[in-house]
Amino acid sequence: LVANLEGAVMFEVPELPEETLMEQEHTEILHSLRFTLAFVHYVVEIAAVKGCANELSSSAASEYQLQESVVADQISLLSREWSYAEQLVLYLKVAELLSAGLQTAMEQIKAGKLCLSSTVKHVVKKLNELYKSSVSSCHCLNVRLQRFFADKQKLMDRMNSITAEKLIFSYAVQMVQSAALDEMFHRREDCVQRYHKALLLMDGILNFMTEQGDIENIRKCKMCIERRLSALQSGASA
């Protein structure tokens, strides 16, 4: 709102973000790509937690090795390699989702449904960077595991039972349980953030779940989290 020399009042039109002027189809595709980006960020975070846990367990086992060398060495080795296996499964899922996201972006740009706005360029760049990083992580973990699995067929068979979906769901449930426990002891600082994060992870795995029983279980968990969030927000506004 600006007044000129004659005293007349003039309005300055605010500059609109370029995405506001795009077609709804463009906005929906961009929203989907952003969701993929947020979801894989959290999955990479889970993989990093697995890596940190591996380092801690290796450190603890190395101290124990001084007393029980052979047994501790076997426990440490199994724990470390199992952690590598879990990380590999997660990074493979990340690479798969990012590859699909990048493919979708290219197809929609060619079809003229997704415009090359600065926001789209930024999101696609981030997807591509994460894809390259996840493929590199897969390669490194695969090299580590191949050496170990050469004479460990039994553990290789067990690895086949790991799925990214199970690991992500388990992590989300643990996050919810931790937040609920903190609530009980009135430590509510980041409970809402953790609940939202768990919801996003569950929404993400619903996109590629096929077993109806698993889908129903995840939906029930989501409903519980949403009720908890509603109660927290009601309490905050009271």
Side-chain angles (χ1 to χ4, degrees), residues 116-181:
L116 267 177
S117 64
S118 56
T119 304
V120 168
K121 288 178 182 177
H122 175 75
V123 170
V124 169
K125 181 184 176 186
K126 289 295 180 185
L127 289 170
N128 193 42
E129 287 172 354
L130 265 174
Y131 175 74
K132 289 178 180 177
S133 173
S134 62
V135 169
S136 175
S137 296
C138 286
H139 176 72
C140 293
L141 289 163
N142 190 51
V143 170
R144 287 175 176 176
L145 286 166
Q146 286 306 317
R147 290 195 295 266
F148 179 75
F149 282 142
D151 59 346
K152 298 289 188 302
Q153 187 58 45
K154 193 174 287 186
L155 193 60
M156 182 68 117
D157 293 338
R158 189 182 167 200
M159 182 190 168
N160 291 332
S161 68
I162 311 174
T163 67
E165 291 85 350
K166 287 179 184 177
L167 293 171
I168 295 166
F169 180 67
S170 175
Y171 182 84
V173 168
Q174 288 172 15
M175 189 183 302
V176 170
Q177 290 171 339
S178 169
L181 193 62

Side-chain angles (χ1 to χ4, degrees), residues 50 53-58 61 73-86 148 155:
K50 296 285 182 186
N54 171 36
E55 289 173 11
L56 289 171
S57 64
S58 296
D73 183 60
Q74 289 298 314
I75 292 171
S76 173
L77 190 60
L78 285 169
S79 174
R80 182 170 67 250
E81 305 308 325
W82 186 251
S83 176
Y84 288 156
E86 289 183 327
F148 179 75
L155 193 60

